[in-house]
Amino acid sequence: MSADTSPPVADDADADAVVSDYDQMLADLDVAIEEARRKIEDGRVRDAENEKVRIKWIRALAYTVNIRRQVANDRDLEELAEEIEALKADTDAEGGR
């Protein structure tokens, strides 16, 4: 008798919720990215203090773009893990292994 040590397979509702959470995070990050771009491109620079603020917005933009990339990668990995689990379940159901 062998014990099943595989992680529990999430049902479709849980999987959809995870993807939805990632989609919402990405949408929020897209809004932040657009706002930072607007501040960088449309802001008036009349003195050194304004230039410091612009540099801070550029840093915020770079940081946000990096975080968005990480979230997108996490979402993609989550989707791949779900696909692998589904393929394993199909293989097991068909009498493989």
Side-chain angles (χ1 to χ4, degrees), residues 29-77:
L29 288 166
D30 287 340
V31 170
I33 288 168
E34 286 306 314
E35 178 66 12
R37 282 186 181 148
R38 187 183 68 75
K39 292 283 191 175
I40 292 166
E41 294 170 358
D42 296 339
R44 292 177 289 172
V45 178
R46 294 186 181 165
D47 58 24
E49 187 60 34
N50 284 352
E51 184 60 26
K52 288 179 184 177
V53 171
R54 182 185 303 258
I55 290 168
K56 289 178 183 179
W57 275 109
I58 291 168
R59 287 182 182 151
L61 175 61
Y63 176 77
T64 307
V65 167
N66 187 41
I67 294 299
R68 189 194 187 290
R69 180 190 54 79
Q70 290 174 0
V71 170
N73 285 343
D74 289 348
R75 179 200 57 198
D76 294 345
L77 288 172

